[in-house]
Amino acid sequence: MTYKSLSSTHTALSQGQTTCANIVKNYLEVINSARHLNIYIEVFAEEALQRAKKLDEKFQQNPASAGKLFGAVISLKDVICYEGHGVTAGSKILKGFKSLFSATAVERLLAEDAIIIGRVNCDEFAMGSTNETSCYGPTRNAADPSKVPGGSSGASAVAVQAGTCLISLGSDTGGSVRQPAAFCGVVGFKPTYGRISRHGLLAYASSFDQIGILANSVADVASVLEVINGPDEFDATCSAELPFRTKLAAERETRTTKIAYFEAALHHPGMDGEVKNQTLGFIEKLKAEGHTVEPVGFEYLDYIIPAYYVLTTAEASSNLSRYDGIRFGHRTQDAKNIHEVYKKSRTEGFGTEVKRRIMLGTFVLSAGYYDAYYAKAQQVRRLIHDRTREILQRYDFILMPASPTPAWNIGEMADDPVAMYLADIFTVQANMAGVPAIAIPIGKNSAGLPIGIQFMADKFREVELLAFSASLPIHITA
Ligand code: GLN
């Protein structure tokens, strides 16, 4: 059998009911039977099994030597480097590329005895909300395989949802961990910008990107965050402020909290009726438990998406200039001069969505338009940041839907990128402001599709955010 939490895994291991090797074998079976969902790009079957056996031996010799993540089987989104293993960001341009070093987060997982079982699909360079922009084809939602799993960390969410691993690391630039978590009925968490090192995370938009955690429970998110957070000499934006230490058990007794929500968000024209009703129902439950939940004004809601897509495409156009056919990745077979090497390698290697964003980003940074678009969007970001933090000084948390709708059909948004961009309306704010946020499953709609809710807290207040989240009734739908 497979276990749904780190604590049940640890109990079973310490009571001798199972071994790491057995746990890995069980996950490998589930991975095999879930192939139709197209979750894994590569399964590290033999290697994971060998590592599990070594961990079992170490544990037998000295149970006290077990690391904090002993026996935790983890998958990695295909944008996170693991030395000697392939990493391609779901893109043809990196096919065949192997990581030269491991991400700091991965090194920290391994140092605490976690087992990496494979790398999972994602939108190309994490650009998307459905997993459909991957060169490996779409991942399917296990709740209904005709639906998208969300994105860009869609396969990370399905990997947990379908029980192919205990935990998955994803990345979140504008909601890529939280929105798929909501679509798949699992917990998805994005930390404060600077909480987890970005060293070894393939860059999309560096001032927004953070590694995030997907799991079945808030407690497991906290356990992983405790291991992978903290300063890193390889990432100058990684903060030393207030190291995260789990005090969930102590904090859980909780005092009641003050929560803000935006009326304009709940009454937004894009909101699905069932998501709205369940969100309102959840607000009533929170009030009944003694929490204060109040509407506050937020005048920038409709500026979040335009500013985000100006800034992230600008950063992406710069970050992705390194894929030039010369240094690594795909090189065209068909070039007569250096200019053609660049042009054809990039034309052949990148997919449509990535090209669209590189062009948009190049445009908003170009001499004649810089002030009108890029500089203006930076100013808008500052306003959103300041106003968000001002609210979070008066309230403990901001409550939002995680997504205005449940998962949609595969192919449904393919021809309408703007509609898809607009669907990020509730998740992008946390990245614009750099604050931590979590998506938690609260139920299903009438078609059986998961619905999630989201909470944001002020910077570096993960302990409070996770302790509060752990006290909420969660509906894991897997
Ligand atoms: N859907 C958003 C985008 O396409 C978010 C992606 C992400 O967080 N990586 O940019």
Side-chain angles (χ1 to χ4, degrees):
M1 76 178 255
T2 56
Y3 299 89
K4 290 274 178 202
S5 70
L6 190 58
S7 68
S8 59
T9 306
H10 281 171
T11 309
L13 283 166
S14 62
Q15 293 178 352
Q17 289 157 9
T18 190
T19 59
C20 291
N22 265 333
I23 290 177
V24 168
K25 276 185 207 150
N26 291 337
Y27 281 121
L28 290 173
E29 273 169 27
V30 182
I31 289 175
N32 215 11
S33 58
R35 276 182 193 280
H36 62 291
L37 300 173
N38 195 25
I39 305 169
Y40 284 79
I41 296 170
E42 195 181 348
V43 182
F44 310 140
E46 196 42 43
E47 180 190 331
L49 215 47
Q50 291 312 323
R51 180 170 166 80
K53 286 180 186 157
K54 282 222 173 79
L55 291 173
D56 285 332
E57 278 165 28
K58 186 176 93 158
F59 185 67
Q60 259 162 16
Q61 278 157 17
N62 178 12
S65 71
K68 289 187 185 136
L69 300 178
F70 175 54
V73 173
I74 301 181
S75 64
L76 302 176
K77 181 178 181 180
D78 190 32
V79 291
I80 297 174
C81 294
Y82 181 18
E83 189 177 352
H85 298 75
V87 62
T88 63
S91 180
K92 274 201 301 211
I93 207 148
L94 276 173
K95 271 210 171 150
F97 179 74
K98 285 204 168 17
S99 297
L100 302 173
F101 55 84
S102 291
T104 301
V106 171
E107 284 191 347
R108 290 179 182 173
L109 291 178
L110 293 172
E112 291 293 344
D113 294 346
I115 299 166
I116 311 289
I117 194 144
R119 67 185 162 106
V120 297
N121 206 359
C122 60
D123 280 299
E124 186 176 5
F125 282 99
M127 297 175 186
S129 307
T130 62
N131 251 246
E132 293 168 293
T133 70
S134 165
C135 74
Y136 306 100
T139 298
R140 293 172 181 278
N141 193 319
D144 175 349
S146 69
K147 305 286 177 194
V148 299
S152 62
S153 314
S156 288
V158 185
V160 175
Q161 176 196 30
T164 69
C165 59
L166 185 64
I167 292 153
S168 189
L169 289 192
S171 66
D172 192 312
T173 304
S176 269
V177 161
R178 290 160 285 148
Q179 183 256 23
F183 277 17
C184 295
V186 301
V187 178
F189 167 76
K190 175 200 96 73
T192 309
Y193 183 82
R195 179 63 97 183
I196 297 177
S197 169
R198 288 180 297 111
H199 178 63
L201 169 66
L202 300 196
Y204 159 16
S206 310
S207 77
F208 295 76
D209 297 341
Q210 274 292 289
I211 287 179
I213 303 161
L214 298 106
N216 289 307
S217 66
V218 178
D220 284 5
V221 165
S223 301
V224 173
L225 180 62
E226 181 165 357
V227 167
I228 67 179
N229 90 97
D232 177 16
E233 59 172 321
F234 296 114
D235 176 3
T237 63
C238 200
S239 176
E241 195 167 343
L242 300 174
F244 175 82
R245 292 282 172 268
T246 315
K247 291 184 287 179
L248 286 192
E251 297 263 341
R252 199 179 299 194
E253 315 311 316
T254 72
R255 54 194 185 95
T256 54
T257 51
K258 261 185 92 182
I259 301 167
Y261 70 92
F262 306 153
E263 201 117 43
L266 287 181
H267 299 291
H268 202 270
M271 269 298 270
D272 168 271
E274 289 189 79
V275 176
K276 180 173 162 179
N277 286 341
Q278 292 214 17
T279 309
L280 289 170
F282 200 79
I283 290 175
E284 289 313 312
K285 264 194 234 160
L286 289 172
K287 284 184 185 163
E289 281 167 22
H291 300 288
T292 305
V293 191
E294 292 173 353
V296 297
F298 186 75
E299 56 279 43
Y300 304 121
L301 202 60
D302 287 328
Y303 298 93
I304 293 178
I305 293 293
Y308 169 83
Y309 277 95
V310 169
L311 296 172
T312 52
T313 56
E315 293 189 27
S317 71
S318 164
N319 274 328
L320 272 58
S321 66
R322 76 192 65 174
Y323 305 105
D324 55 8
I326 304 288
R327 284 169 287 185
F328 40 75
H330 173 76
R331 179 180 302 167
T332 185
Q333 296 299 309
D334 172 33
K336 295 185 202 63
N337 53 48
I338 182 76
H339 191 71
E340 278 190 16
V341 172
Y342 294 144
K343 200 168 161 182
K344 291 194 172 170
S345 299
R346 287 166 69 81
T347 301
E348 291 163 11
F350 287 134
T352 311
E353 182 61 28
V354 172
K355 285 178 188 153
R356 180 185 291 130
R357 295 196 192 197
I358 290 173
M359 285 190 275
L360 261 174
T362 308
F363 174 75
V364 299
L365 288 174
S366 61
Y369 294 99
Y370 183 97
D371 286 337
Y373 294 103
Y374 183 73
K376 180 74 100 212
Q378 289 284 34
Q379 291 167 336
V380 174
R381 184 179 195 183
R382 169 55 67 181
L383 290 174
I384 291 169
H385 169 275
D386 289 354
R387 178 84 176 107
T388 304
R389 297 206 60 199
E390 186 259 312
I391 295 170
L392 287 169
Q393 256 126 53
R394 287 187 289 121
Y395 291 86
D396 297 289
F397 310 113
I398 296 173
L399 175 157
M400 290 268 242
S403 161
T405 68
W408 53 83
N409 292 324
I410 292 180
E412 193 174 328
M413 296 262 206
D415 300 326
D416 194 351
V418 174
M420 204 171 75
Y421 296 171
L422 289 173
D424 294 336
I425 181 158
F426 300 134
T427 47
V428 161
Q429 183 178 359
N431 306 74
M432 291 287 262
V435 300
I438 189 164
I440 295 166
I442 56 166
K444 290 181 186 180
N445 74 358
S446 48
L449 294 173
I451 292 178
I453 205 162
Q454 180 187 206
F455 291 93
M456 285 179 247
D458 201 8
K459 290 185 185 177
F460 299 103
R461 301 202 55 141
E462 280 93 349
V463 171
E464 291 82 351
L465 178 63
L466 293 175
F468 169 72
S469 305
S471 73
L472 297 174
I474 290 191
H475 291 261
I476 297 292
T477 49

